Amino acid sequence: MYLGFFYLAISLVLRIIFLFHPITTADFSFFEVIKILMIGILNDSLVFVLTCPFLALYFLFLSDSKYQKPYGYIILGVLLVFFLYILLIPNNIFKQYGGSVAEIALSFIGLKIIFFSLMLFLPEKRIKIRNVLYFITIFLYVLLIVFNAVSEYFFYNEFGLRYNFIAVDYLIYTNEVIGNIMESYPVVPLFLAIFAIAAVFTIYIYRKTNAELLNLPNLKQKLILLISFCALVGISLIGLNFTTKLKSENVFKEEIQANGLPKFYWAFTHNELDYFQFYPVMNQQQADRTFLSQYAPPLLKRNIESGKPELKKNVVLISIESLSADFMEHYGNTQKITPFLDSLADRSLMFTNLYATGNRTVRGLEALTLCIPPTAGESIIKRENNKNKFTTGSVFKSKGYDVKFLYGGYSYFDNMKDFYEGNGYGIVDRNNFSPEEITFANVWGVADEDMAKKTIQTMNAEAKSGKPFFNHWMTVSNHRPFTYPNGKIDIPGDAKSREGGVKYTDYSLKKFFEMAKKQAWYQNTVFVIIADHCASSAGNTELPMDKYKIPAMIFSEGFIQPQKFTQTMSQIDVMPTLLGLLNFNYQSKFLGQDVFSKTFQPKAYVATYQDLGFIKDNYLTIISPVKKIKQYSLTQQKNNLSPEFNIYYDEKFLKPDSQNKNLVEQTIAAYQSTSNWLKENQLNR
């Protein structure tokens, strides 16, 4: 009981912190706050019951009779045999699971044997030993409760959300994630504080409850308690199934009243979402016709012909980590943290109204490589069926280009290596660096300045082959912990500030272009600079527009004339537009469009793992599980500094009878057709 009250109290405090957190931009009335807290307490109560089976089993097996002859010796013998089975049998059931499962099982049984033996052969010490084990058990539970609360706080602080797919990824890529935590936060004081809090509350709970161990329930009483607990588990499962389906038009309200553990479980078990099971559908032929009507000819596989001589220029695609549009002065920022990019934008073809497809790096890479709308669940990059796709790299390869993906970290992260190698790209990553080439690195990879030098080195080698090259470079420095070499910019590298990370990446890009300009291949090269996603995705709605707007530009001295393209467009349109500027003739399966083609329709696709959005004609249409449809009207607010670079929108929710049904149909058609073509492998080469 005390443990349950402790969990509810910690969860309530965390929920109140979220309500007043700066990232929570929503305003709640007094009654809304009360409702959020009440639903939250209900969620927490149900979750606590579901986390107690191990505790229930522990109490169920507390007994004095099991140490009596001959039962104690039989149990000890069984434990010893089990220990020897795990230790000596090469192909035991635990080793078949792989990883450290066998070692964990061996350690657990070994400790069980030690403590059971002590309590069997030292009956006068049995109560003291039992009290020690009880204290440890309570401490572990309290420690996990406190640790989870701290973890949820930092996750919300970063993403404005409870646990989701990103948290699942963090369990998979433990090296990068633990390293990121170690470099971003004062880990030692933080963990000491967590252990101290856990110890204090454990002592309190222990003192209030340890006397109950003197009079253990008999078998009949245990059966009654067990049946009662099983009934509570059943009620909790049914209740949680109901409360987790409570949705709101306000994302912050929905997230704050939720409990993170069910959301984590859902994300863990829903890596991919079957579009046809969870989303609204229409006749497939009608969906294909509706979606393909924007192309000329209206076919998935179509010939792109320019009618002009092809330009075999080198292409360098630079996707920048977490570069929100509002970091740049062009979009109204006054901090002057992107001086080079702002100056480059004035000399480039700049897309002022462009939207990222998602809020993770793999989504940005997917959009720039596959040029297709995002689909429900995890990015294609991280799926099993991710190879032999029709990609920007495959188009360049068909033209005789050398094609590479360059990344300052270890490209196994987020499955990038598997994806890019499986689609014909060469890989240059941290494994290709010698120690003397690295002046600074953190858990995510070498500093962007070091990667810039490696990129120049790679291109010089490619240029000697006589073949044109297409290189896709993904930066890493603008990522928490935001550490970089000191003395490079006016923000110290150990300040660990987002602004510093942005400014250092801008500095590194300046150094890259200074080096590139000295190379013989520079004049024959086109540079595409674009963000992979925004720095934050938190907002009042499922898909806040200002959290998806990113900067993008195409630069090439003497070839690309400076201009601003102000129509709405998607990340998936950038590379088809570039191929159009190069006058490439090719057979396309891209679902993005050349924005300068006569058939281009201004629009954009934005998504989370569940919510799929479509922006067109000042409407945002969102389809979500389970077959839900929402629509918002968009009103663009003015940016007095640069009116063509507006980034803020008011999103007004529309009731179903006020929705633009034609745009709802286009939204369903786009995502249904894309999902179907992926399922049928029609987007392969």
Side-chain angles (χ1 to χ4, degrees):
M1 184 174 69
Y2 285 95
L3 198 60
F5 282 136
F6 175 72
Y7 178 69
L8 293 179
I10 288 287
S11 299
L12 178 62
V13 170
L14 185 66
R15 196 165 276 112
I16 293 171
I17 290 172
F18 289 166
L19 281 169
F20 294 98
H21 194 287
I23 205 170
T24 306
T25 54
D27 294 319
F28 301 112
S29 69
F30 175 77
F31 291 106
E32 284 178 319
V33 170
I34 295 299
K35 183 180 178 182
I36 288 170
L37 295 180
M38 293 301 292
I39 294 174
I41 290 171
L42 177 59
N43 275 321
D44 297 336
S45 301
L46 299 174
V47 168
F48 179 74
V49 172
L50 296 177
T51 60
C52 285
F54 292 109
L55 197 61
L57 286 173
Y58 168 77
F59 286 119
L60 183 67
F61 286 101
L62 282 180
S63 169
D64 285 321
S65 59
K66 65 184 178 184
Y67 299 106
Q68 296 175 3
K69 296 180 181 180
Y71 306 116
Y73 297 98
I74 294 172
I75 293 171
L76 181 59
V78 170
L79 289 172
L80 287 168
V81 169
F82 198 27
F83 182 85
L84 293 173
Y85 164 75
I86 300 171
L87 181 66
L88 302 176
I89 304 301
N91 197 31
N92 67 69
I93 189 171
F94 295 102
K95 289 184 179 177
Q96 290 176 14
Y97 279 96
S100 302
V101 176
E103 287 79 3
I104 293 170
L106 195 67
S107 300
F108 177 79
I109 299 299
L111 288 172
K112 185 68 178 174
I113 290 171
I114 292 170
F115 285 110
F116 190 88
S117 300
L118 289 172
M119 296 178 79
L120 176 65
F121 297 115
L122 300 172
E124 69 280 3
K125 301 291 185 181
R126 192 173 297 162
I127 292 177
K128 288 186 177 180
I129 296 170
R130 180 178 290 150
N131 284 342
V132 169
L133 293 177
Y134 175 66
F135 184 90
I136 292 171
T137 302
I138 297 299
F139 177 75
L140 290 175
Y141 255 85
V142 172
L143 182 65
L144 287 173
I145 289 170
V146 177
F147 185 81
N148 178 68
V150 173
S151 298
E152 282 210 70
Y153 169 78
F154 283 118
F155 194 85
Y156 190 89
N157 188 59
E158 181 79 10
F159 300 104
L161 299 166
R162 296 278 190 169
Y163 294 141
N164 60 12
F165 276 108
I166 301 173
V168 177
D169 285 351
Y170 281 6
L171 280 186
I172 296 171
Y173 299 104
T174 51
N175 180 57
E176 281 80 1
V177 174
I178 292 173
N180 183 33
I181 293 169
M182 295 291 290
E183 295 176 9
S184 299
Y185 303 107
V187 174
V188 173
L190 185 63
F191 274 80
L192 287 175
I194 290 172
F195 274 87
I197 292 169
V200 168
F201 281 99
T202 300
I203 292 169
Y204 176 79
I205 294 171
Y206 172 79
R207 287 178 175 174
K208 288 288 184 180
T209 59
N210 72 314
E212 297 176 15
L213 298 182
L214 297 174
N215 297 301
L216 299 175
N218 57 37
L219 181 60
K220 182 180 178 181
Q221 291 171 323
K222 286 183 178 180
L223 286 175
I224 293 172
L225 290 171
L226 180 62
I227 293 169
S228 301
F229 179 74
C230 289
L232 272 177
V233 169
I235 292 169
S236 297
L237 286 170
I238 295 169
L240 208 57
N241 185 55
F242 172 75
T243 58
T244 53
K245 291 179 180 177
L246 294 175
K247 301 297 180 183
S248 170
E249 294 173 14
N250 189 303
V251 171
F252 286 117
K253 180 179 179 182
E254 191 174 311
E255 292 293 327
I256 294 171
Q257 71 188 20
N259 184 288
L261 295 180
K263 291 179 75 68
F264 182 89
Y265 175 78
W266 193 95
F268 189 82
T269 56
H270 291 76
N271 188 269
E272 286 187 44
L273 286 173
D274 184 345
Y275 179 91
F276 297 91
Q277 179 181 356
F278 291 100
Y279 292 85
V281 295
M282 58 197 297
N283 176 273
Q284 189 61 57
Q285 290 183 336
Q286 180 189 351
D288 292 348
R289 282 196 303 270
T290 300
F291 186 49
L292 292 173
S293 64
Q294 64 189 295
Y295 306 110
L299 302 169
L300 173 59
K301 190 176 182 179
R302 57 199 180 278
N303 291 321
I304 306 295
E305 296 178 357
S306 71
K308 299 177 182 178
E310 291 188 342
L311 303 172
K312 296 290 184 68
K313 290 182 175 291
N314 306 308
V315 175
V316 180
L317 168 60
I318 306 173
S319 47
I320 304 175
E321 173 68 45
S322 305
L323 187 72
S324 302
D326 56 8
F327 287 143
M328 291 185 63
E329 187 174 2
H330 277 82
Y331 292 91
N333 190 292
T334 58
Q335 297 172 293
K336 299 188 182 301
I337 53 177
T338 58
F340 174 72
L341 286 174
D342 278 305
S343 68
L344 192 67
D346 292 329
R347 295 177 283 144
S348 304
L349 161 60
M350 188 170 191
F351 306 105
T352 70
N353 201 21
L354 186 146
Y355 294 86
T357 59
N359 45 36
R360 292 292 318 279
T361 295
V362 283
R363 278 296 187 202
L365 296 178
E366 173 189 89
L368 295 168
T369 305
L370 301 177
C371 305
I372 63 173
T375 48
E378 189 55 272
S379 164
I380 293 164
I381 289 176
K382 301 183 73 172
R383 297 183 192 177
E384 188 174 340
N385 183 22
N386 66 357
K387 299 175 179 62
N388 301 312
K389 301 297 182 189
F390 183 79
T391 66
T392 50
S394 65
V395 174
F396 282 109
K397 269 205 159 185
S398 71
K399 302 295 181 182
Y401 278 65
D402 194 341
V403 175
K404 286 187 175 65
F405 175 70
L406 301 93
Y407 179 67
Y410 295 109
S411 58
Y412 75 85
F413 181 73
D414 266 349
N415 211 43
M416 290 184 283
K417 181 179 176 68
D418 179 69
F419 172 74
Y420 280 106
E421 283 188 339
N423 285 286
Y425 286 68
I427 301 288
V428 177
D429 67 2
R430 188 168 178 173
N431 288 310
N432 297 98
F433 281 77
S434 60
E436 59 270 15
E437 290 178 307
I438 303 174
T439 62
F440 185 92
N442 62 23
V443 67
W444 293 110
V446 303
D448 285 346
E449 193 178 0
D450 290 340
M451 192 65 219
K453 295 173 185 176
K454 192 70 172 181
T455 302
I456 295 293
Q457 182 188 107
T458 301
M459 293 182 209
N460 285 341
E462 290 171 323
K464 289 178 182 178
S465 71
K467 294 170 61 178
F469 54 78
F470 167 60
N471 289 327
H472 183 170
W473 168 24
M474 178 71 221
T475 74
V476 301
S477 290
N478 182 31
H479 193 296
R480 192 176 298 279
F482 310 117
T483 53
Y484 45 86
N486 281 317
K488 301 294 183 176
I489 59 174
D490 57 4
I491 302 175
D494 50 10
K496 299 183 180 180
S497 73
R498 167 77 70 178
E499 291 75 20
V502 172
K503 195 165 189 176
Y504 175 71
T505 291
D506 182 83
Y507 165 87
S508 300
L509 291 173
K510 179 183 178 182
K511 292 298 179 183
F512 168 76
F513 276 91
E514 288 175 352
M515 290 184 286
K517 200 166 185 176
K518 298 175 183 178
Q519 312 308 319
W521 45 261
Y522 175 77
Q523 290 298 331
N524 192 43
T525 302
V526 182
F527 301 89
V528 182
I529 302 97
I530 184 171
D532 62 344
H533 58 86
C534 283
S536 170
S537 59
N540 288 332
T541 61
E542 298 93 329
L543 301 170
M545 290 298 88
D546 59 318
K547 303 301 184 181
Y548 284 83
K549 190 162 234 183
I550 57 173
M553 62 193 83
I554 299 177
F555 171 78
S556 181
E557 285 190 30
F559 173 52
I560 299 296
Q561 297 302 310
Q563 61 175 301
K564 293 180 177 64
F565 184 86
T566 60
Q567 295 185 65
T568 301
M569 62 181 288
S570 172
Q571 207 171 20
I572 72 173
D573 297 322
V574 172
M575 294 310 290
T577 299
L578 173 73
L579 297 176
L581 293 171
L582 295 174
N583 302 327
F584 272 20
N585 302 311
Y586 62 102
Q587 198 169 62
S588 178
K589 289 186 179 180
F590 291 144
L591 302 180
Q593 286 184 285
D594 177 353
V595 299
F596 295 113
S597 67
K598 294 179 180 179
T599 58
F600 174 70
Q601 297 180 13
K603 63 190 176 306
Y605 306 94
V606 294
T608 62
Y609 291 99
Q610 300 180 52
D611 301 310
L612 307 175
F614 181 62
I615 307 167
K616 189 177 181 183
D617 299 337
N618 292 319
Y619 287 92
L620 166 63
T621 308
I622 301 173
I623 54 176
S624 310
V626 179
K627 302 185 185 299
K628 293 180 180 178
I629 301 170
K630 288 185 180 181
Q631 194 172 78
Y632 298 84
S633 62
L634 303 176
T635 304
Q636 201 170 45
Q637 296 180 0
K638 295 299 179 184
N639 175 356
N640 294 326
L641 183 66
S642 303
E644 70 272 29
F645 287 92
N646 291 328
I647 58 173
Y648 299 106
Y649 284 90
D650 285 332
E651 299 178 26
K652 181 182 178 182
F653 178 74
L654 300 175
K655 295 180 179 179
D657 56 357
S658 301
Q659 292 179 353
N660 185 318
K661 302 302 181 185
N662 182 45
L663 289 177
V664 169
E665 185 177 282
Q666 289 184 44
T667 304
I668 296 171
Y671 287 111
Q672 180 177 328
S673 295
T674 303
S675 300
N676 185 59
W677 291 330
L678 281 169
K679 184 179 179 181
E680 300 295 327
N681 292 320
Q682 293 186 57
L683 295 177
N684 286 13
R685 291 201 293 270

